[in-house]
């Protein structure tokens, strides 16, 4: 049985800020590659992706998987900061919300059994 190629569809148009961010990342990846004097095929081979996928990344295509972006960043030696993008300790809003939900004092939910 032949596998059908999956196509990513968006039920709503992506927010302009999302498109702009992905396009900016693609341009920055292209600049990094050109500064190194590397061909697209060389980066694609090192990242383990096709040249067509790299072209999509450099164009900021939304349907390109995040794994491909990270692989290219790794190939360029720029992947170190990726793991910190959504790090819990840097989520100021989440930390504030979590702190607001903390109880004022600790309460015992069940009686302690201190019979040893």
């Amino acid at each position: 049985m032949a596998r059908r190629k999956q196509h990513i569809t968006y039920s709503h148009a992506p927010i302009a800020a999302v498109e702009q961010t992905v396009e900016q990342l693609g341009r920055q990846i292209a600049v990094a590659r050109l500064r190194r004097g590397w061909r697209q095929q060389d980066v694609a081979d090192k990242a383990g992706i096709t040249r067509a996928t790299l072209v999509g990344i450099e164009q900021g295509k939304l349907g390109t998987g995040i794994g491909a972006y990270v692989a290219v960043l790794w190939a360029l030696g720029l992947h170190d900061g990726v793991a910190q993008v959504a790090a819990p300790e840097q989520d100021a809003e989440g930390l504030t919300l979590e702190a607001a939900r903390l109880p004022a004092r600790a309460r015992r939910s069940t009686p302690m059994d201190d019979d040893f």
Side-chain angles (χ1 to χ4, degrees):
M1 178 180 219
R3 296 177 101 184
R4 287 200 302 159
K5 194 173 188 177
Q6 285 186 326
H7 294 283
I8 297 174
T9 57
Y10 298 97
S11 58
H12 302 323
I15 299 171
V18 172
E19 289 179 328
Q20 291 169 357
T21 300
V22 175
E23 287 171 3
Q24 180 182 6
L25 178 58
R27 285 191 304 271
Q28 291 168 341
I29 286 172
V31 168
R33 177 183 60 78
L34 292 169
R35 282 182 173 169
R36 286 160 176 75
W38 294 353
R39 298 177 312 139
Q40 286 178 327
Q41 189 63 55
D42 297 333
V43 175
D45 289 344
K46 187 172 181 180
I49 61 173
T50 65
R51 183 181 167 277
T53 299
L54 180 60
V55 169
I57 288 171
E58 291 186 354
Q59 291 175 351
K61 301 258 175 143
L62 290 177
T64 306
I66 190 169
Y69 277 88
V70 175
V72 169
L73 290 168
W74 171 82
L76 295 168
L78 300 172
H79 68 290
D80 289 341
V82 174
Q84 294 304 312
V85 168
E89 63 274 5
Q90 295 188 20
D91 179 11
E93 182 176 355
L95 290 169
T96 301
L97 292 169
E98 182 180 53
R101 287 191 300 265
L102 291 177
R105 62 186 185 125
R107 296 176 190 244
R108 204 177 322 163
S109 59
T110 58
M112 285 186 65
D113 179 16
D114 54 356
D115 183 22
F116 301 116

